[in-house]
């Protein structure tokens, strides 16, 4: 064996899952049979070398992710096993740099990064599992790869910008040099401590004074767009996966700032408003890509902020507060192994990091030797400088090495950003062997010992700290008079008119509401108060949030459960404060249905959006087919509002895009219309029987048809029906003619969707888009619908028809309606007459609705209606020759118009950006504002949401 990787290799215990090994070997054999030379070579190595066989089968038996990498990159695997991983890694770095520089476009560059990521992941894993590389070498290789990708992406984007005329005078060989744009690596990335599947925490800064901007280019707009593209280049999923997940939330005030910040603004923030946790984060900051000299200059300026000259014992409380919040929110209060989080849990990696960083904050201002970025280096420095003894440093160093190694193994299993050990016995057994242990029992014993050692050292520094929130200040709401120190604390937290705020809170403690009537509820509220006030103070409108919380409490029948829930879930408390401060509609719903908060506690709440299947399942479980009609109405409202609340929370928390919100709200409406139509049909059939050959469909128009619903959208619906030609009436005890029957069905459906019940209302329903408008029958026969849209429909009705979508009803009739719509739209049109009709219609709308100011986003000149009219005009004008232009959603229709060269690139860019912006604004405004949006009186939290949008 000529390779060096086995110089330190000790074979792991036999894989626990022989089936996984056998399956992988079979896949490797199939690849060899398909002509993969690398697979054939690897097969030969497995047969001829016991060390190779041991290592590769160890991986096959534990990691599906690495198994796939090996089979797909068999030649590289062979090279690594028979050569020098260090030399191969150096070659791969050169290949990444050269390939990135030659990438013709963004998609090609993304492919370069993602394929390089796969190769790097394989090289690192093999060198790590074999024990050839130390932890420092593993984390260093992972970090250098991240740096290489960042640098290559920044250079590529800068040169592209120069080619397009937005920048000038760049150094062709070193475009980042003096470019005025720098990426700071934070956290583990900054310290060269990245883990195997880590995201990268970055802060992006730019200097508008030195950046070589072309004339007329605004630096802030340019660099924000460049940063968003940078993130997309690295993390946007493609057919090759992703390269690096990017987290930009460590920047100053991330809810109120853009992803790229002017360097002077960032410096001012840190120097005047920076918090202790941000000081701790800045310890590891490093200029990683872009204008490195600019980054180093900024970090040098930050030294007085991070490294204070006096012994800063006050910082301990802030850092410890953060650690205890992690335990409270994540549920890592006890030491365990199965299911334990080795990063955030008790005795985990974070405790070692906090152990080091807090003492750095305390003493680093007076001792430059304690200002390093790397955890292990600083453990030894703390010992050398007398802050801890050498035995403690050695013990924690060993624990850190062990915990980081098994953290990497956890992530190698599936390339997931997880730090949690397997919980199921079978999985833990397999994982223990992957970590080199003889099985789950010895692995558990060793890991428990490590966690206990870390916890003991950590406890000596931190565990005697007081309860969370004690740093808030004096808070006393007992008695009939205001406590002067409490008023001062409220003022310091940003509450206007603190005496009035204190009076409101004293009212809670006096048990004036049902939620605070019991002694236990008041005790829980007292414990919650510091955290609650702190959370409200961060909303931008503390007083408005407090008043909203007061209304919230007034509507609650009881409070013990909710207060306990909030006390144990700091993140939920912050989210509630945000809702109260920015979204009165959601706050009002909360006061009536506090149980909807349960959905937010689901671990997967922020990781996925509820889809149609999930909504249908919830409706089916709550209201099966035999459920009574009135009960179905209430249950539909409960389920619908819960899902609407979930979508609203995602909008307010800025974890969902406008297009995603529109789809979710539309899925909710589709599911509710489908379920309530079925209930109405069953109710009507029970009374009047069925019409022979009868069938009905609900056709959605407008926002629902285009899947662009908001929290306040009404439903534009048409009920279309058909029956046997000679059917005279229904066959029940009280027969109705077909027209009467389906008119009755339509009226029932409207009432089911819009009438108030004990659970409130769902939607306003508008039926005016049916062929007869308000003058004729509420239900429309398919023949009448088809004839009308072929022979009689107005131009504006043709425009509306472009968004028509069947959302519920009979499948055969559904297909006939789709055909009728397509036939009506795909006819030759007189361009001049059509243009005149639309111009006249727009003028009429302006007379009826007025401009309404710029916040009337729908009707304002240049607003959403005009975007939609342009798109729909081009659709109906060209559908006869190019029916593929038709799309119900405006954004998709724009793309198709551009692809078919029916819309110029300049017009497309303007309309696409306007449509996207209007939908972002509309989602926020419809969710948060019940009436007209008035910026001067709007809460700061709402303004921040709109600015971010």
């Amino acid at each position: 064996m000529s390779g060096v990787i086995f110089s330190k290799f000790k074979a792991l215990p036999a894989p626990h899952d022989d089936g996984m090994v056998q399956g992988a070997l079979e896949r490797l054999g199939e690849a060899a049979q398909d002509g993969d030379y690398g697979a054939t070579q690897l097969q030969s190595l497995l047969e001829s070398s016991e060390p190779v066989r041991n290592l590769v089968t160890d991986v096959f038996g534990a990691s599906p992710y690495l198994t796939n990498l090996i089979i797909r990159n068999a030649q590289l695997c062979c090279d690594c096993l028979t050569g020098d991983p260090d030399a191969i890694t150096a070659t791969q770095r050169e290949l990444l740099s050269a390939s990135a520089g030659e990438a013709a476009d963004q998609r090609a560059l993304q492919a370069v990064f993602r394929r390089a990521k796969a190769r790097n992941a394989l090289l690192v894993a093999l060198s790590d599992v074999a024990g050839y590389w130390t932890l420092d070498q593993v984390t260093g290789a992972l970090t250098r790869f991240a740096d290489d990708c960042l640098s290559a992406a920044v250079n590529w984007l800068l040169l592209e910008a120069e080619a397009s005329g937005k920048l000038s005078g760049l150094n062709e060989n070193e475009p980042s040099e003096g470019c005025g744009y720098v990426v700071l690596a934070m956290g583990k990335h900054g310290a060269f401590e990245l883990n195997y599947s880590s995201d990268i925490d970055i802060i992006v800064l730019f200097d508008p004074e030195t950046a070589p901007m072309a004339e007329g280019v605004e630096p802030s707009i340019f660099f924000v767009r460049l940063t968003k593209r940078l993130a997309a280049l690295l993390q946007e999923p493609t057919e090759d996966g992703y390269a690096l997940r990017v987290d930009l939330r460590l920047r100053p005030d991330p809810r109120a700032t853009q992803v790229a910040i002017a360097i002077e603004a960032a410096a001012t923030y840190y120097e005047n408003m920076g918090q202790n946790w941000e000081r701790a984060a800045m310890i590891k900051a490093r200029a990683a890509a872009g204008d490195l000299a600019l980054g180093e200059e900024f970090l040098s300026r930050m030294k007085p902020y991070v490294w204070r000259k006096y012994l800063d014992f006050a910082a301990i409380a802030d850092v410890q507060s953060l650690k205890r919040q992690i335990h409270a929110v994540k549920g890592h209060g006890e030491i365990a192994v199965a299911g334990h989080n080795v990063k955030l849990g008790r005795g985990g990696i974070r405790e070692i990091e906090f152990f080091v960083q807090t003492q750095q904050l305390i003493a680093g201002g007076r001792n430059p030797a304690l200002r390093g970025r790397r955890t292990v280096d600083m453990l030894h420095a703390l010992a050398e400088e007398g802050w801890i003894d050498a035995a403690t440093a050695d013990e924690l160093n060993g624990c850190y090495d062990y915990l980081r190694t098994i953290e990497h193994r956890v992530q190698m299993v599936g390339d997931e950003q997880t730090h949690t050990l397997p919980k199921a016995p079978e999985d833990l057994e397999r994982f223990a062997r992957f970590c080199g242990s003889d099985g789950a029992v010895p692995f558990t014993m060793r890991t428990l010992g490590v966690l206990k050692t870390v916890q003991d050292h950590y406890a000596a520094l931190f565990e005697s700290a007081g309860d969370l929130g004690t740093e808030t200040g004096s808070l006393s709401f007992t008695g009939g008079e205001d406590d002067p120190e409490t008023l001062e604390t409220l003022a310091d937290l940003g509450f206007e008119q603190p005496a009035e705020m204190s009076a409101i809170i004293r009212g809670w403690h006096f048990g004036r509401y049902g939620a605070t009537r019991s002694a236990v509820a008041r005790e829980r509220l007292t414990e919650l108060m510091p955290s609650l006030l702190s959370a409200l103070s961060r909303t931008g409108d503390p007083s408005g949030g407090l008043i909203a919380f007061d209304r919230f409490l007034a509507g609650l029948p009881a409070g013990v459960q909710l207060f306990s829930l909030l006390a144990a879930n700091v993140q939920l408390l912050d989210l509630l404060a945000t809702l109260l401060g920015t979204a009165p509609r959601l706050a009002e719903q909360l006061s009536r249905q506090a149980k909807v908060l349960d959905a937010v506690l689901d671990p997967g709440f922020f990781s996925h959006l509820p889809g149609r299947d999930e909504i249908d399942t919830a409706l089916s479980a709550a209201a099966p087919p035999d459920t009574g009609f009135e009960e179905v109405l209430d249950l539909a409202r409960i389920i619908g509002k819960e899902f609407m609340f979930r979508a609203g929370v995602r909008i307010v928390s800025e974890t969902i895009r406008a297009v995603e919100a529109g789809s979710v709200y539309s899925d909710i409406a589709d599911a509710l219309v489908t379920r309530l139509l079925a209930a109405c049909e069953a109710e009507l059939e029970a009374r009047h029987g069925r019409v022979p050959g009868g069938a009905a469909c609900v056709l959605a128009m407008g926002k629902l048809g285009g899947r662009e619903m908001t929290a306040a959208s009404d439903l534009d619906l048409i009920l279309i029906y058909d029956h046997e030609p000679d059917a005279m009436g229904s066959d029940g005890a009280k027969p109705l003619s077909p027209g009467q029957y389906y008119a009755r069905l339509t009226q029932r459906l409207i009432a089911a969707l819009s009438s108030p019940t004990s659970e409130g209302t769902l939607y306003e329903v508008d039926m005016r888009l049916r062929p007869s408008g308000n003058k004729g029958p509420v239900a429309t026969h398919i023949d009448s619908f088809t004839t009308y849209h072929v022979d009689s429909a107005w131009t504006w009705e043709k425009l509306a028809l472009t968004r028509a979508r069947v959302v519920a009803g009979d499948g055969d009739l559904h297909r006939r309606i789709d055909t009728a719509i397509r036939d009506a739209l795909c006819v030759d049109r007189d361009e001049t007459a059509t243009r005149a009709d639309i111009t006249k219609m727009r003028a009429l709308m302006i007379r009826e609705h007025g401009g309404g100011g710029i916040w009337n986003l729908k009707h304002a000149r240049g607003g959403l209606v005009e975007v939609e009219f342009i798109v729909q005009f081009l659709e109906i004008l060209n559908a006869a020759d190019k029916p593929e232009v038709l799309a119900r959603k405006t954004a998709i229709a724009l793309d198709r118009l551009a692809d078919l060269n029916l819309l110029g690139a300049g017009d497309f860019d303007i309309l696409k950006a306007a449509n996207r912006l209007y939908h972002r604004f509309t989602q926020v405004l419809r969710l948060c504002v019940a009436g007209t949006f008035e910026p001067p009186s709007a809460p700061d939290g709402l303004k921040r949401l709109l600015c971010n949008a």
Side-chain angles (χ1 to χ4, degrees):
M1 179 64 58
S2 59
V4 299
I5 196 170
F6 299 105
S7 59
K8 303 177 184 178
F9 178 58
K10 296 179 181 179
L12 305 184
H16 185 61
D17 195 324
D18 292 333
M20 289 178 64
V21 175
Q22 189 57 39
L25 291 173
E26 291 174 359
R27 289 176 57 197
L28 182 65
E30 291 170 359
Q33 290 177 355
D34 290 341
D36 185 335
Y37 175 75
T40 302
Q41 188 177 12
L42 182 56
Q43 275 189 318
S44 299
L45 276 174
L46 292 175
E47 295 169 359
S48 62
S49 170
E50 184 178 357
V52 169
R53 186 166 57 254
N54 288 338
L55 176 59
V56 174
T57 54
D58 288 338
V59 171
F60 283 170
S63 170
Y65 173 67
L66 292 182
T67 297
N68 287 333
L69 286 183
I70 290 172
I71 293 173
R72 293 174 183 173
N73 301 272
Q75 184 60 59
L76 179 63
C77 179
C78 290
D79 293 343
C80 183
L81 295 173
T82 59
D84 181 357
D86 297 293
I88 296 172
T89 302
T91 301
Q92 291 296 321
R93 293 185 68 192
E94 293 173 0
L95 175 62
L96 169 59
S97 178
S99 301
E102 295 169 358
D105 53 31
Q106 182 167 321
R107 184 173 294 275
L109 186 59
Q110 287 179 315
V112 168
F113 290 148
R114 283 145 185 78
R115 292 165 188 170
K117 187 258 187 182
R119 295 192 297 268
N120 189 67
L122 178 57
L123 287 167
V124 170
L126 291 174
S127 301
D128 185 3
V129 174
Y132 178 70
W133 277 354
T134 64
L135 175 64
D136 281 354
Q137 289 173 295
V138 170
T139 57
L142 294 167
T143 305
R144 282 188 293 274
F145 173 76
D147 285 356
D148 290 345
C149 286
L150 275 172
S151 295
V154 169
N155 287 340
W156 191 90
L157 289 168
L158 290 172
L159 290 174
E160 183 198 52
E162 184 177 46
S164 64
K166 294 183 175 65
L167 295 176
S168 61
L170 295 177
N171 181 336
E172 183 177 352
N173 296 321
E174 296 290 342
S176 290
E177 188 177 281
C179 69
Y181 177 85
V182 64
V183 180
L184 300 183
M186 307 296 289
K188 288 184 171 62
H189 184 194
F192 273 84
E193 295 173 341
L194 278 182
N195 56 50
Y196 190 75
S197 296
S198 179
D199 59 3
I200 56 171
D201 294 295
I202 60 174
I203 294 176
V204 177
L205 307 173
F206 65 91
D207 185 357
E209 301 299 322
T210 62
M213 312 304 302
E215 185 175 352
V217 178
E218 170 56 44
S220 60
I221 296 174
F222 170 77
F223 284 121
V224 166
R225 290 175 177 170
L226 187 142
T227 302
K228 291 179 178 179
R229 290 189 65 198
L230 172 66
L233 279 171
L234 298 175
Q235 70 180 7
E236 187 177 77
T238 71
E239 63 270 17
D240 295 310
Y242 73 100
L244 293 162
R245 303 179 187 92
V246 179
D247 193 334
L248 288 149
R249 292 174 297 176
L250 282 183
R251 69 185 187 273
D253 198 3
R255 295 182 64 81
T257 57
Q258 288 285 7
V259 292
I261 303 172
I263 200 161
E264 193 61 34
T268 301
Y269 169 85
Y270 286 121
E271 290 163 356
N272 293 284
M273 294 177 287
Q275 302 175 54
N276 279 324
W277 73 264
E278 291 174 303
R279 289 178 57 209
M282 197 59 72
I283 290 174
K284 294 179 179 287
R286 173 176 61 86
D291 192 337
L292 300 183
L294 177 67
E296 292 301 332
E297 179 183 342
F298 174 79
L299 293 176
S300 178
R301 180 174 174 180
M302 288 298 98
K303 285 181 180 178
Y305 158 67
V306 178
W307 306 113
R308 297 176 181 172
K309 293 182 179 180
Y310 52 86
L311 293 179
D312 191 9
F313 288 99
I316 294 180
D318 280 354
V319 179
Q320 169 60 5
S321 171
L322 176 60
K323 183 66 178 81
R324 291 204 307 282
Q325 287 183 46
I326 289 170
H327 286 322
V329 174
K330 301 292 185 181
H332 301 306
E334 301 295 333
I335 282 185
V337 173
H340 194 67
N341 189 308
V342 297
K343 176 182 178 181
L344 303 179
R346 294 277 185 183
I349 296 165
R350 183 58 58 85
E351 289 191 352
I352 302 175
E353 293 172 339
F354 278 176
F355 179 96
V356 173
Q357 289 174 1
T358 304
Q359 294 181 88
Q360 286 182 272
L361 287 178
I362 293 168
R366 300 175 70 175
N367 188 344
L370 298 178
R371 297 181 184 177
R373 299 185 181 101
R374 296 174 57 77
T375 301
V376 171
D377 293 345
M378 288 301 96
L379 275 171
H380 293 306
L382 286 168
E384 291 172 2
E385 299 301 317
W387 283 85
I388 60 176
D389 58 53
T392 297
D394 290 341
E395 282 190 340
L396 288 177
N397 184 19
C399 293
Y400 183 78
D401 191 288
Y402 177 79
L403 291 173
R404 289 300 310 274
T405 299
I406 64 174
E407 176 190 43
H408 288 167
R409 294 291 191 280
V410 169
Q411 296 175 348
M412 285 177 188
V413 172
D415 189 30
E416 296 176 338
Q417 191 183 4
T418 180
H419 313 275
T420 303
L421 299 177
K423 192 168 186 178
E426 181 81 6
D427 295 336
L428 185 62
E429 179 71 26
R430 182 188 303 116
F431 180 75
R433 292 172 182 266
F434 188 37
C435 292
S437 178
D438 288 329
V441 173
F443 175 77
T444 297
M445 296 305 295
R446 182 180 179 188
T447 305
L448 280 174
V450 169
L451 296 173
K452 183 68 166 59
T453 298
V454 173
Q455 186 185 41
D456 287 346
H457 288 299
Y458 184 79
L461 283 179
F462 295 126
E463 294 301 287
S464 61
D467 292 335
L468 281 174
T470 55
E471 295 82 21
T472 305
S474 176
L475 292 173
S476 176
F477 300 102
T478 58
E481 300 294 329
D482 288 322
D483 171 58
E485 292 184 6
T486 296
L487 295 183
E488 183 177 349
T489 298
L490 290 173
D492 290 342
L493 288 171
F495 289 90
E496 297 176 354
Q497 300 175 316
E500 292 185 20
M501 300 298 105
S502 179
I504 291 173
I505 297 171
R506 283 206 312 277
W508 303 344
H509 288 278
F510 289 153
R512 293 173 183 167
Y513 295 147
T516 61
R517 203 146 289 158
S518 73
V520 175
R522 291 195 296 274
E523 290 173 5
R524 296 288 184 273
L525 183 60
T526 299
E527 296 168 0
L528 178 66
M529 194 56 59
S531 299
L532 171 63
L533 294 176
S534 295
L536 290 172
S537 74
R538 294 190 290 271
T539 65
D541 183 17
S543 298
L546 185 70
I547 293 170
F549 190 79
D550 181 63
R551 289 196 299 267
F552 174 50
L553 283 186
L556 290 177
V560 173
Q561 185 176 7
L562 176 67
F563 300 153
S564 300
L565 185 68
L566 295 175
N569 294 273
V570 177
Q571 290 176 331
L572 183 60
L573 180 60
D574 283 338
L575 181 59
L576 175 62
T578 301
L579 297 181
L580 295 171
T582 60
R585 286 187 173 203
L586 288 179
E588 182 182 351
Q589 182 181 350
L590 268 179
S591 66
R592 295 194 307 269
Q593 291 179 291
K595 61 178 178 289
V596 297
L597 278 175
D598 292 346
V600 183
L601 291 177
D602 188 300
F605 179 82
F606 288 103
S607 64
H608 84 290
L609 292 170
R612 176 64 188 274
D613 290 343
E614 184 177 345
I615 302 166
D616 284 338
T617 300
L619 280 169
S620 299
D626 58 349
T627 307
F629 182 74
E630 298 298 331
E631 189 178 1
V632 170
L633 299 189
D634 282 337
L635 292 170
R637 282 154 174 74
I638 292 171
I639 298 298
K641 289 182 177 181
E642 177 180 329
F643 280 101
M644 291 179 205
F645 175 82
R646 292 172 63 177
V649 170
R650 295 295 299 274
I651 293 172
V652 172
S653 62
E654 298 175 286
T655 58
I656 183 176
R657 296 178 298 156
V659 63
E660 294 170 317
S663 295
V664 173
Y665 281 125
S666 300
D667 281 339
I668 296 167
D670 285 0
L672 291 170
V673 171
T674 299
R675 181 64 186 91
L676 291 173
L677 175 65
C680 292
E681 288 178 324
E683 174 77 355
L684 195 65
E685 183 177 347
R687 296 190 180 194
H688 304 288
R690 292 182 57 83
V691 175
C697 279
V698 177
L699 184 67
M701 314 286 280
K703 294 296 184 186
L704 178 56
R707 292 183 58 77
E708 294 170 344
M709 290 272 288
T710 71
S713 294
D714 58 10
L715 304 184
D716 293 299
L717 303 178
I718 302 174
L719 189 135
I720 301 175
Y721 67 93
D722 194 14
H723 53 78
E724 290 181 1
D726 56 353
M728 300 301 294
S730 61
D731 58 11
K734 298 180 179 180
L736 297 172
S737 69
Q740 290 176 310
Y741 188 95
Y742 287 106
R744 195 78 57 87
L745 176 62
T746 305
Q747 291 161 348
R748 274 179 165 75
L749 179 62
I750 294 172
L753 288 164
S754 61
S755 296
T757 75
S758 60
E759 296 295 338
T761 61
L762 278 175
Y763 301 101
E764 294 294 325
V765 178
D766 191 340
M767 304 289 290
R768 290 175 295 176
L769 288 178
R770 65 188 188 274
S772 53
N774 283 335
K775 299 177 182 179
V778 292
T780 303
H781 191 279
I782 179 63
D783 292 341
S784 298
F785 177 86
T786 302
T787 301
Y788 179 84
H789 280 288
V790 169
D791 299 331
S792 307
W794 295 75
T795 298
W796 69 265
E797 291 173 301
K798 298 294 187 184
L799 299 186
L801 204 61
T802 62
R803 309 186 79 178
R805 178 172 64 90
V806 175
V807 296
D810 178 79
D812 289 334
L813 183 57
H814 181 165
R815 287 184 284 274
R816 292 172 61 194
I817 293 170
D818 284 348
T819 300
I821 292 171
R822 198 169 189 82
D823 290 344
L825 292 175
C826 295
V827 297
D828 290 324
R829 302 191 189 281
D830 184 306
E831 180 176 350
T832 301
T834 303
R835 190 187 303 273
D837 285 348
I838 295 174
T839 304
K840 182 179 179 181
M841 180 168 50
R842 179 62 182 133
L844 178 63
M845 290 179 67
I846 291 174
R847 286 198 299 272
E848 289 184 355
H849 299 284
I854 63 169
W855 292 110
N856 185 350
L857 298 173
K858 180 177 181 180
H859 294 112
R861 291 184 180 274
L864 186 58
V865 162
E866 293 189 4
V867 175
E868 292 172 345
F869 274 14
I870 292 169
V871 172
Q872 292 162 9
F873 164 70
L874 291 173
E875 285 184 278
I876 65 172
L877 194 65
N878 294 283
D881 296 326
K882 298 179 179 180
E884 64 269 27
V885 74
L886 296 173
R888 300 180 180 99
K889 184 172 288 189
T890 305
I892 296 175
L894 276 167
D895 290 338
R896 292 185 182 179
L897 288 166
D899 291 341
L900 294 169
N901 296 318
L902 300 174
L903 188 64
D907 291 334
F908 170 80
D909 289 340
I910 292 171
L911 293 172
K912 187 80 171 179
N915 184 65
R916 186 164 53 240
L917 179 66
Y918 294 154
H919 279 289
R920 288 174 180 167
F921 277 154
T922 301
Q923 287 293 354
V924 173
L925 290 174
R926 294 294 181 268
L927 177 69
C928 299
V929 180
T932 303
F933 176 59
E934 300 290 348
S937 59
D940 288 347
L942 174 55
K943 293 176 185 177
R944 280 201 305 272
L945 276 180
L946 288 171
C947 288
N948 291 347

